[in-house]
C-alpha cells in the first residue's frame, strides 16, 4: 500500500488539466451493454473505479480494448452472462448501473447488492422501484438483486425521488432500461446532475429517444435497438472543484483547464462569498493569489443538496478550506448525513470542528500542522491532501488507494503546480522538510483584508 507525503506551506502555482468525469463514465460504460456494437470513450479517466467497471463488463462477456491514448472501446456483441458478482460489485458501487442495461437487453439480471461504505448505507431501493415500474419482477436473494422481464420491459410513468431527494445512479439505471422498453417512460423526480445529462447525450447518440435531460422530468420513448457510438464524457466537475479549492486554500495561482465553470457555479458563488478572488473563461477557472499570512477566507456556510446546489462530493474539500477561515462556518450534509470521516483526521491536524448530527461547525482560523492521517472515502481523502498542502510541516496520508479511485495520478499533477508531495510505500519513512525553511504560515495572522472577488460569470 502507498502513502502520500506532503510538505505544506507552499502556495500552488501553475496549470492543471481536468480529466474526464469518473461519475459520468461509469454509467456510460454500463450503457455499452445496451447494444451489440462498439461504444468508444476517447477520454475515460485512468482511475481505479473505471478499471473496476471494465472488470465487471468483462465478467459479463463484453470485449474491452484500452487504446494507448487512453481511449476505451467496449463491445458487448454477446453477453453470455447476466450476473454481476459480489466479487466485482463490492469494489465499486457504480457497477450497480449494469442492472438496467442487462434487464433491457437480456430481460434478466442478477447484480450483487453494492455494499455500504463509509459515507452511508447506500441503498438501491429506488433502483429496484424503477425496474418494477417498468414491469420487471425484482427480488432480493441472498445479497443479490434478481430481476427478470421475460416478455421485455414496458414503459410507464413513475416518481423516482427518495427521502434524500433524487438518485443519480438510480436515474441513470432506469433511463438506460427505458431506452429499450416498449412505449413511453416518464421519470418524475429525476436527478439533474451533469453526469446524468451526459449519459443521456450518449444514449441519444446511440439512437435513444430522450427528452428533458437536466430537468426533474425525463421522458424516454423506447426503441427496438441501439447502435454503437463514440462519446467523450464531460470534464470531472468534482476534480476541477478540488483543484480550485487547492489553489484558494494555499493562496496560489492555479489555472484549472478543460473544465466546465457552468457546472461549478455554486462553488464560484461560495468562493466569492468567502472573499476569495478567481477568474474564469469558457473552459477554465483560475484562482487569484493572496498571502495566507495576511489574508484568509471569510467563514462561509454550505449545505449539500442535489445539483445545481452545493455537491456533497465537494463538502470535505470545502471543510478543509473553512479551517483557515476567520470565524465560524456551518456545513450541513443532507445527501449523506454521516459523510464526515474527514473530521477526526482534520482535527488531528489541529482543525477546530464540532459535529452536530448531519452538520459540522468549523471554527477558524486554525494553523494546521502536519500529521499522519488515514484516508477513508474518496473525497475525504482529497480533503486530507488539501489540508496537508496548507499545514505546517509534513503530512502523511495513508491508504492512498481511496484517492486513486477517483483522481488520476494526483501527486504528479499536484507536483506540477508546485506542491511538495511524493508517493512512497506505506512502510518507507521519509523526511521531506527543507532545512531552515520559514513556513509561510508561521507568521502571525494579521487582520484579514478581503481580497476583492471577481464578479460571477455572467450567463455561464
Ligand atoms: C452518485 O452516487 C455519485 N457516485 C456519488 O459520488 C455522489 O455523492 C452521489 O451520486 C450524490 O450526488 C457515482 O456517480 C458513481 P444517489 P449515487 O443515489 O447515485 C439515497 C464520489 O465521491 N438513495 O444520488 O449512489 C442515498 O442514500 C461518489 O464520486 C436511496 O435512498 O447516490 C442518498 O442519501 C460518492 N435509495 C441519496 O439517495 C436508492 O435507491 C442520493 O444518493 C438510491 C439512493
Amino acid at each position: 500500500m502507498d502513502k502520500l507525503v506532503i510538505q505544506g506551506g507552499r502556495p500552488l502555482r501553475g496549470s492543471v488539466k481536468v480529466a474526464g468525469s469518473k461519475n459520468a463514465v461509469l454509467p456510460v460504460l454500463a450503457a455499452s451493454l445496451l447494444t451489440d456494437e462498439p461504444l468508444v470513450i476517447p477520454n475515460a479517466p485512468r482511475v481505479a473505479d473505471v478499471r473496476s467497471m471494465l472488470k465487471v463488463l468483462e465478467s459479463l462477456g463484453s470485449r474491452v480494448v484500452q487504446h494507448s491514448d487512453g481511449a476505451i472501446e467496449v463491445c458487448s456483441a454477446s453477453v453470455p452472462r447476466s450476473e454481476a458478482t459480489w466479487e466485482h460489485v463490492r469494489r465499486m458501487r457504480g457497477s450497480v448501473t449494469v442492472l438496467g442495461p442487462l434487464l433491457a437487453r437480456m430481460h434478466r439480471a442478477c447484480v450483487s447488492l453494492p455494499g455500504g461504505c463509509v459515507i452511508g448505507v447506500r441503498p438501491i431501493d429506488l433502483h429496484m422501484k424503477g425496474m418494477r415500474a417498468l414491469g420487471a419482477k425484482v427480488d432480493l436473494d441472498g445479497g443479490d438483486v434478481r430481476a427478470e422481464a421475460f416478455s421485455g420491459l414496458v414503459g410507464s410513468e413513475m416518481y423516482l425521488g427518495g427521502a434524500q431527494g433524487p438518485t443519480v445512479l438510480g436515474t441513470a439505471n432506469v433511463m438506460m432500461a427505458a431506452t429499450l422498453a416498449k412505449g413511453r417512460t416518464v421519470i418524475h423526480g429525476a436527478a439533474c446532475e451533469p453526469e446524468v445529462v451526459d449519459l443521456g447525450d450518449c444514449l441519444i447518440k446511440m439512437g435513444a429517444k430522450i427528452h428533458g435531460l437536466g430537468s426533474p422530468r425525463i421522458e424516454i420513448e423506447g426503441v427496438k435497438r441501439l447502435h454503437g457510438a463514440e462519446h467523450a464524457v464531460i470534464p470531472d466537475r468534482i476534480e476541477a472543484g478540488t483543484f480550485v479549492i487547492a489553489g484558494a486554500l494555499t493562496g496560489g495561482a492555479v489555472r484549472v483547464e478543460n473544465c466546465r465553470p457552468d457546472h461549478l457555479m455554486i462553488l464560484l458563488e461560495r468562493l466569492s462569498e468567502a472573499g476569495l478572488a478567481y477568474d474564469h473563461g469558457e473552459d477554465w477557472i483560475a484562482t487569484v493569489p493572496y498571502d495566507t499570512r495576511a489574508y484568509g477566507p471569510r467563514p462561509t456556510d454550505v449545505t449539500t443538496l442535489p445539483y445545481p446546489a452545493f455537491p456533497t462530493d465537494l463538502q470535505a474539500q470545502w471543510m478543509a478550506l473553512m479551517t483557515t477561515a476567520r470565524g465560524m462556518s456551518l456545513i450541513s450534509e443532507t445527501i449523506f448525513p454521516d459523510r464526515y470521516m474527514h473530521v477526526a483526521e482534520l482535527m488531528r491536524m489541529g482543525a477546530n470542528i464540532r459535529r452536530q448530527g448531519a452538520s459540522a461547525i468549523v471554527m477558524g482560523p486554525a494553523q494546521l500542522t502536519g500529521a499522519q492521517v488515514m484516508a477513508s472515502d474518496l473525497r475525504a481523502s482529497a480533503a486530507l491532501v488539501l489540508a496537508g498542502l496548507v499545514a505546517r510541516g509534513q503530512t502523511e496520508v495513508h491508504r492512498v488507494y481511496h484517492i486513486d479511485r477517483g483522481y488520476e495520478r494526483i501527486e504528479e499533477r499536484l507536483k506540477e503546480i508546485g506542491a511538495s508531495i511524493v508517493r512512497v510505500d506505506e512502510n518507507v519513512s521519509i523526511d521531506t522538510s527543507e532545512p531552515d525553511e520559514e513556513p509561510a504560515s508561521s507568521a502571525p495572522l494579521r487582520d484579514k483584508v478581503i481580497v476583492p472577488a471577481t464578479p460571477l460569470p455572467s450567463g455561464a
Side-chain angles (χ1 to χ4, degrees):
M1 267 201 278
D2 292 343
K3 64 186 175 185
L4 294 178
V5 180
I6 304 161
Q7 197 57 238
R10 295 178 176 199
L12 300 183
R13 180 173 296 279
S15 298
V16 58
K17 269 176 86 66
V18 175
S21 165
K22 163 186 87 85
N23 289 352
V25 81
L26 295 176
V28 163
L29 285 168
S32 63
L33 292 165
L34 290 164
T35 175
D36 56 4
E37 296 180 10
L39 182 61
V40 177
I41 300 131
N43 66 335
R46 283 167 265 201
V47 294
D49 275 7
V50 169
R51 290 190 287 275
S52 298
M53 178 57 105
L54 294 178
K55 284 200 172 61
V56 171
L57 293 173
E58 286 176 321
S59 75
L60 295 168
S62 303
R63 182 173 53 80
V64 171
V65 176
Q66 287 192 271
H67 298 283
S68 54
D69 60 0
I72 289 179
E73 179 180 323
V74 185
C75 185
S76 305
S78 75
V79 184
R81 285 176 296 286
S82 60
E83 182 156 348
T85 63
W86 184 77
E87 172 51 34
H88 295 109
V89 172
R90 71 186 178 85
R91 289 178 197 286
M92 201 265 301
R93 172 182 171 75
S95 40
V96 71
T97 51
V98 302
L99 176 65
L102 283 174
L103 197 50
R105 174 94 181 275
M106 312 288 291
H107 298 171
R108 69 180 184 283
C110 176
V111 178
S112 181
L113 261 182
C117 61
V118 289
I119 68 174
V121 175
R122 312 302 295 276
I124 60 163
D125 57 306
L126 298 173
H127 297 239
M128 294 161 59
K129 174 184 172 187
M131 301 307 158
R132 289 188 179 114
L134 295 176
K137 182 175 172 301
V138 184
D139 300 302
L140 273 184
D141 172 19
D144 292 338
V145 176
R146 287 190 183 284
E148 56 192 40
F150 292 123
S151 47
L153 296 173
V154 179
S156 74
E157 193 150 358
M158 68 184 79
Y159 180 75
L160 205 57
Q164 269 85 20
T167 164
V168 171
L169 291 181
T171 302
N173 234 336
V174 173
M175 182 164 68
M176 286 191 281
T179 59
L180 295 179
K182 291 185 199 70
R184 190 174 72 122
T185 296
V186 180
I187 304 173
H188 296 278
C192 305
E193 272 66 7
E195 294 77 18
V196 173
V197 174
D198 201 33
L199 170 65
D201 289 342
C202 175
L203 292 168
I204 290 168
K205 283 181 190 170
M206 295 167 68
K209 292 190 169 57
I210 302 174
H211 295 92
L213 289 169
S215 83
R217 183 185 185 281
I218 299 178
E219 196 173 311
I220 304 109
E221 198 60 49
V223 295
K224 283 240 175 301
R225 64 183 298 278
L226 296 180
H227 50 73
E230 174 160 337
H231 181 72
V233 293
I234 53 173
D236 193 312
R237 64 188 167 107
I238 304 303
E239 177 178 273
T242 304
F243 282 123
V244 169
I245 293 174
L249 179 58
T250 59
V254 173
R255 185 182 164 98
V256 179
E257 300 186 332
N258 183 41
C259 71
R260 288 278 303 266
D262 60 317
H263 288 165
L264 286 164
M265 292 289 282
I266 185 65
L267 175 64
L268 299 181
E269 171 73 11
R270 290 291 174 269
L271 286 175
S272 295
E273 278 182 40
L276 294 167
Y278 60 85
D279 231 343
H280 76 95
E282 191 69 26
D283 63 354
W284 60 270
I285 300 169
T287 58
V288 173
Y290 65 93
D291 180 351
T292 54
R293 288 168 296 182
Y295 309 133
R298 275 199 293 263
T300 306
D301 300 349
V302 296
T303 297
T304 67
L305 286 164
Y307 188 84
F310 199 92
T312 175
D313 294 347
L314 282 179
Q315 180 256 104
Q317 298 92 315
W318 186 262
M319 184 182 286
L321 177 63
M322 287 298 106
T323 63
T324 65
R326 295 173 65 73
M328 185 186 88
S329 309
L330 176 66
I331 293 176
S332 304
E333 173 58 68
T334 71
I335 309 289
F336 297 112
D338 293 330
R339 192 174 198 172
Y340 287 116
M341 292 297 287
H342 41 290
V343 170
E345 298 305 300
L346 288 173
M347 289 172 72
R348 296 185 64 244
M349 298 177 73
N352 179 352
I353 305 167
R354 192 153 47 87
R355 269 289 301 274
Q356 292 273 55
S359 298
I361 296 164
V362 185
M363 288 303 293
Q367 172 50 63
L368 298 183
T369 52
Q372 307 266 352
V373 291
M374 199 68 81
S376 53
D377 97 84
L378 166 57
R379 309 303 176 183
S381 316
L384 298 179
V385 172
L386 296 184
L389 293 172
V390 77
R392 182 189 305 158
Q394 180 166 303
T395 297
E396 295 195 358
V397 183
H398 297 262
R399 298 186 182 170
V400 174
Y401 59 86
H402 288 289
I403 299 179
D404 294 336
R405 291 189 48 194
Y407 293 91
E408 202 177 299
R409 302 176 299 111
I410 186 86
E411 73 281 1
E412 289 171 31
R413 298 160 76 201
L414 284 172
K415 204 179 295 178
E416 283 161 15
I417 53 177
S420 164
I421 180 170
V422 288
R423 177 190 289 253
V424 295
D425 180 87
E426 189 81 16
N427 303 310
V428 165
S429 64
I430 176 175
D431 176 358
T432 58
S433 55
E434 278 131 31
D436 67 324
E437 177 190 60
E438 179 59 22
S441 50
S442 66
L445 278 172
R446 290 197 297 275
D447 277 349
K448 168 183 58 59
V449 172
I450 292 171
V451 175
T454 314
L456 271 176
S458 53

